[in-house]
Amino acid sequence: MKKIKNTMCKVLVMCILITMCTTFGSIDSEAKTVQATSYSSAAKKKTLTAWAKAYMGVIKNSAYTKRIKCQGAKVGLFYIDNDSIPELVISGKDEDDGCVIISYKYKKMRAIELYRQGVYYIPKSGLILNVTGSCCAYTKAVYKLNKGDFSCVGYGNEYYNYERGTSNFWWNGKSCSLSAYNKKIMAAYKNSKGNRDLAYSCKYNYNGILNKLATYKK
């Protein structure tokens, strides 16, 4: 039984890595599609700022519209990086539905989709921490939002070996000790100072976020 669990966990580790890389790599092309179809759809509302028009377009007419309208889904506006434009965050109705973060900069939108809701951020720093996994395999990934673009600062993996009763750790694919693993995460995430939950801080439903954007004042 231990060997079976151990084998399943190894497969799970690979699935987490593949999912994370595929999701992060495909977001930019999807964001361009959203920008092209939705930005112009709200352009008639001249009283709104450009970023508010763009976000309203995403909410009303994009690949994310159906998800936002689901009962239990929440949306919010957060200052993740240090500019004057907040990021639009869509928190799914449950953990498997995930969390989407959308930025607006230079008349373009970019997005990153995280499939579990262990999502944290440090306000005005541009740093995002995503914690995901189950059973015996866990991943902690740190992302950076800079000038509207998302990039991966680094990622760590933890794997518990049922057969041996031990844990193994990797940072950016290289094996390391538990002490080194924790230090690298803290260094990438700036010692977690000011850390806040992101996904669970969203509080608006579909109509609520549209009303918020329509009257938004920084």
Side-chain angles (χ1 to χ4, degrees):
M1 180 62 72
K2 288 184 178 180
K3 289 184 177 180
I4 294 174
K5 287 184 177 179
N6 202 26
T7 301
M8 290 177 67
C9 286
K10 289 179 180 179
V11 172
L12 183 58
V13 170
M14 292 303 297
C15 288
I16 290 174
L17 286 171
I18 291 171
T19 301
M20 183 179 71
C21 293
T22 303
T23 302
F24 186 74
S26 62
I27 287 300
D28 190 57
S29 59
E30 183 176 2
K32 288 179 180 178
T33 302
V34 171
Q35 190 270 335
T37 58
S38 64
Y39 180 75
S40 60
S41 67
K44 295 180 181 180
K45 297 182 180 293
K46 295 181 180 180
T47 57
L48 298 179
T49 60
W51 62 264
K53 294 175 187 177
Y55 288 165
M56 289 183 79
V58 171
I59 294 163
K60 290 180 177 181
N61 182 30
S62 76
Y64 303 117
T65 301
K66 185 177 180 180
R67 185 184 303 188
I68 296 170
K69 287 184 174 180
C70 284
Q71 184 175 0
K74 297 294 181 182
V75 187
L77 295 167
F78 301 90
Y79 290 95
I80 296 176
D81 61 358
N82 198 31
D83 63 16
S84 60
I85 302 174
E87 280 63 56
L88 180 70
V89 179
I90 304 167
S91 182
K93 58 182 173 46
D94 52 40
E95 288 191 353
D96 289 331
D97 208 24
C99 176
V100 181
I101 304 171
I102 301 173
S103 68
Y104 179 89
K105 194 75 173 178
Y106 307 125
K107 297 184 179 181
K108 293 182 179 180
M109 284 186 285
R110 295 288 182 267
I112 182 171
E113 185 162 357
L114 306 173
Y115 283 104
R116 301 289 285 185
Q117 287 191 357
V119 185
Y120 308 91
Y121 79 114
I122 300 174
K124 294 288 186 174
S125 70
L127 292 172
I128 303 164
L129 174 65
N130 184 216
V131 181
T132 184
S134 60
C135 184
C136 56
Y138 301 89
T139 296
K140 293 182 178 180
V142 179
Y143 299 96
K144 177 75 174 181
L145 173 61
N146 182 40
K147 296 182 180 180
D149 291 320
F150 295 95
S151 62
C152 184
V153 176
Y155 65 94
N157 299 103
E158 177 182 352
Y159 165 60
Y160 180 73
N161 189 312
Y162 278 98
E163 199 171 277
R164 298 179 181 178
T166 59
S167 293
N168 299 97
F169 304 88
W170 294 265
W171 180 255
N172 288 338
K174 295 182 179 180
S175 179
C176 61
S177 65
L178 172 60
S179 176
Y181 179 77
N182 289 331
K183 286 181 180 179
K184 289 180 182 296
I185 291 174
M186 294 297 282
Y189 198 52
K190 304 301 181 185
N191 297 315
S192 303
K193 186 177 181 181
N195 182 51
R196 297 182 186 179
D197 189 288
L198 185 59
Y200 287 104
S201 296
C202 295
K203 61 182 181 180
Y204 298 104
N205 59 15
Y206 177 82
N207 290 322
I209 190 63
L210 289 176
N211 290 334
K212 180 68 175 178
L213 286 168
T215 59
Y216 192 84
K217 293 182 180 180
K218 183 178 181 301

